[in-house]
Amino acid sequence: MSTHAYVLRVAEDPADREACFTVRKEVFVGEQGVPEDIEYDAYDAVAVHVLAVREDGVPLGTGRLLYGAAAVGKTGGDMTVGSLGRLAVTQAARGLGVGAALVRAVEDAARARGLVAVDLHAQTHALGFYERLGYVAYGPEFPDAGIPHRAMRRVL
């Protein structure tokens, strides 16, 4: 495993956004079998995307923040809560702290927009990861893309 450092940034230019989509395709479509036609959605156009990139330019992970009208369907209608989603880290980068750094970057983007909490829909195998970052599960388990999930929230 490489010991290259990485940087986090908001994906603002087309190349960065494409890198986010490449990571998502590798993880969700390739590894987890999510149909490609449901992996990408209309929210991609309005979301804040964050990207982790190795110092040599290799993309390692991504996540997105929905807020305002784009998030209300995922946050119980609360306009003060953002929605973290599409968090994905490449196999090669797992265990390096990339996922936690991406979550914190999304939270920073939420704070910058005046949000007071962040919700997410966690795959049930990842509940412990999010709990370690301060998220609390609520509500029943539900399927998304055929994968069991739970809703979680962290007050910022």
Side-chain angles (χ1 to χ4, degrees):
M1 176 66 230
S2 170
T3 58
H4 292 286
Y6 61 89
V7 295
L8 295 173
R9 61 180 178 246
V10 173
E12 293 178 346
D13 66 48
D16 276 356
R17 289 222 175 191
E18 198 53 44
C20 292
F21 298 149
T22 297
V23 170
R24 285 170 45 185
K25 184 173 184 174
E26 177 183 329
V27 174
F28 296 126
V29 178
E31 290 179 30
Q32 297 182 355
V34 173
E36 194 166 355
D37 62 326
I38 66 169
E39 172 51 32
Y40 308 103
D41 59 26
Y43 296 118
D44 283 325
V46 297
V48 176
H49 298 268
V50 294
L51 176 66
V53 181
R54 206 167 63 189
E55 62 186 4
D56 62 0
V58 173
L60 302 177
T62 187
R64 75 178 188 186
L65 171 69
L66 300 179
Y67 62 97
V72 295
K74 299 176 182 289
T75 63
D78 190 338
M79 295 288 281
T80 67
V81 179
S83 176
L84 185 161
R86 301 305 202 268
L87 186 74
V89 176
T90 63
Q91 268 189 326
R94 292 178 193 150
L96 301 177
V98 173
L102 285 164
V103 169
R104 295 305 186 220
V106 167
E107 292 170 351
D108 289 345
R111 278 188 203 90
R113 285 157 180 80
L115 302 176
V116 300
V118 173
D119 273 13
L120 58 85
H121 293 165
Q123 294 182 5
T124 55
H125 72 83
L127 288 172
F129 166 78
Y130 290 111
E131 287 169 344
R132 287 188 294 280
L133 295 173
Y135 286 80
V136 177
Y138 65 91
E141 185 177 292
F142 61 92
D144 188 0
I147 301 167
H149 284 69
R150 290 275 315 273
M152 301 186 86
R153 177 173 286 183
R154 179 170 186 258
V155 175
L156 300 176

